[in-house]
Amino acid sequence: MLSMFFLIIGFVFLIQGAKFLVDGASSLARRLKVSDLVIGLTVVAFGTSAPELSVNILAALKGTTDIAVGNIIGSNICNIFLILGVSSIIYPLTVPKGTVWKEIPLSLLAVILLAILANDQFIDNQKFSILTRIDGLVLLSFFVIFLYYSFSIAQKIAGMEGHVSSKHKGIFQSVSLIVLGLLGLTLGGKWVVDGAVFIAQKFNVSTTLLGLTVVAVGTSLPELATSVVAALKKNPEIAIGNVVGSNIFNIFFILGMTATLRPIPFHGGINFDIGVAIFASLFLFLFMFTGGKRLIDRWEGIVFVLLYTFYIIFLIKRG
């Protein structure tokens, strides 16, 4: 029971820590005359993925790499099927042309590249598969390209500044928020990883299952909140951009950073879940052409949520 308590409190610390970090860093960056555009593309984008990063780094350092891998793959599946599904049920999401032809294919490329890099055992007939430090640097290189692309298109989008908090804070308050944010992410990440490992041992379930389900959904709560609020405000570009950008960020940056710090072993069983992540990205791309318009309609959102429900039931039965 205590481990379950720490797991829940860990998620609270992760989410609040990410919020403190974003608020403090945004305010400090503004005082240093950094543009809101740059803040939005770096600090805010990093903030929504900070829980995944914190959990992954701590999981890798503790040697529980199954949680790290499951967290990222599970988050990407959750982002499309659950978060986009719920958001489009609230308000149909019209998708910009650039997102359809560039960002969604890039998110699909990310998970396909992961499938290739993580399958040495099948591709090169190695004894086992591992995401090496070189693989991590390859993923980080793709992230740099994605960041460059993001800056180039963001300058053409009016109103990007409106998504950065306009509150001004003193330097001491800003630095204090950053420190509290980092502390929250560290403690929260540790409690989530420790709690997940203990529960897995206690109930004889795999850490991969917990990573794909409980940890993945918990660390995706910032993306869920951002997309749902954007849908309620009838701002579909932010709702879908947040999800697609997060999926790219998760693989290229978070897994890239994790593998660079510590090589990540991959087990053959996770290939099914990577396949589901590929299927989810491909399904999202194909839905752009139903009904003759770039739109995720309410019925398509319901399909996404149902697919996620079936996937979770399958994972539970698989154990």
Side-chain angles (χ1 to χ4, degrees):
M1 185 62 70
L2 187 61
S3 61
M4 185 69 72
F5 171 76
F6 274 110
L7 183 68
I8 295 171
I9 293 299
F11 285 131
V12 173
F13 269 64
L14 280 175
I15 295 164
Q16 193 59 46
K19 184 179 183 300
F20 282 159
L21 181 63
V22 169
D23 287 348
S26 296
S27 179
L28 187 61
R30 187 176 284 105
R31 280 188 167 273
L32 297 174
K33 307 300 181 185
V34 178
S35 73
D36 284 349
L37 176 62
V38 174
I39 296 171
L41 286 170
T42 54
V43 177
V44 176
F46 172 81
T48 57
S49 291
E52 286 96 335
L53 178 61
S54 175
V55 167
N56 265 47
I57 289 177
L58 288 166
L61 292 176
K62 284 177 173 289
T64 52
T65 51
D66 286 348
I67 291 179
V69 174
N71 178 35
I72 292 303
I73 297 171
S75 290
N76 279 24
I77 296 169
C78 175
N79 282 348
I80 293 177
F81 283 159
L82 182 62
I83 296 177
L84 274 187
V86 170
S87 300
S88 58
I89 291 171
I90 294 171
Y91 182 76
L93 304 177
T94 303
V95 184
K97 185 177 180 180
T99 300
V100 174
W101 293 109
K102 294 178 181 178
E103 291 155 39
I104 293 176
L106 186 58
S107 70
L108 178 60
L109 171 65
V111 71
I112 290 174
L113 180 62
L114 174 62
I116 294 171
L117 294 177
N119 274 288
D120 307 312
Q121 190 173 5
F122 300 105
I123 295 175
D124 284 335
N125 292 320
Q126 299 294 321
K127 290 184 178 180
F128 52 86
S129 297
I130 187 169
L131 203 63
T132 64
R133 287 190 171 91
I134 293 177
D135 294 333
L137 291 173
V138 168
L139 293 175
L140 288 175
S141 299
F142 273 92
F143 175 70
V144 172
I145 296 171
F146 169 64
L147 204 59
Y148 174 78
Y149 163 75
S150 297
F151 274 99
S152 67
I153 64 164
Q155 294 170 355
K156 303 173 186 177
I157 301 175
M160 283 291 292
E161 297 84 355
H163 303 292
V164 180
S165 174
S166 59
K167 294 180 180 178
H168 289 273
K169 298 178 177 68
I171 293 179
F172 177 77
Q173 188 180 3
S174 299
V175 173
S176 297
L177 285 172
I178 292 172
V179 172
L180 284 173
L182 292 172
L183 183 62
L185 287 168
T186 303
L187 284 175
K190 181 181 185 303
W191 288 338
V192 166
V193 172
D194 289 348
V197 170
F198 182 84
I199 291 170
Q201 294 172 346
K202 181 75 173 178
F203 296 97
N204 197 28
V205 296
S206 70
T207 51
T208 302
L209 172 63
L210 288 176
L212 286 164
T213 53
V214 177
V215 178
V217 173
T219 56
S220 293
L221 289 176
E223 285 91 344
L224 176 61
T226 301
S227 291
V228 166
V229 169
L232 289 170
K233 291 182 177 180
K234 299 182 179 180
N235 195 334
E237 186 170 333
I238 297 300
I240 191 164
N242 170 58
V243 165
V244 176
S246 177
N247 279 13
I248 297 170
F249 200 97
N250 283 348
I251 292 178
F252 285 157
F253 180 71
I254 296 179
L255 264 188
M257 183 67 71
T258 307
T260 302
L261 289 173
R262 181 167 186 164
I264 306 173
F266 266 73
H267 303 295
I270 202 71
N271 279 324
F272 173 81
D273 305 285
I274 294 177
V276 173
I278 293 173
F279 171 75
S281 296
L282 190 59
F283 216 57
L284 175 61
F285 181 70
L286 293 176
F287 266 10
M288 296 299 99
F289 306 99
T290 56
K293 49 188 175 181
R294 301 187 303 271
L295 179 72
I296 305 177
D297 219 332
R298 284 191 172 92
W299 73 265
E300 293 168 323
I302 293 171
V303 170
F304 275 166
V305 173
L306 287 174
L307 286 172
Y308 189 70
T309 303
F310 293 147
Y311 173 65
I312 293 297
I313 291 172
F314 170 80
L315 286 181
I316 294 171
K317 288 187 176 181
R318 185 179 72 174

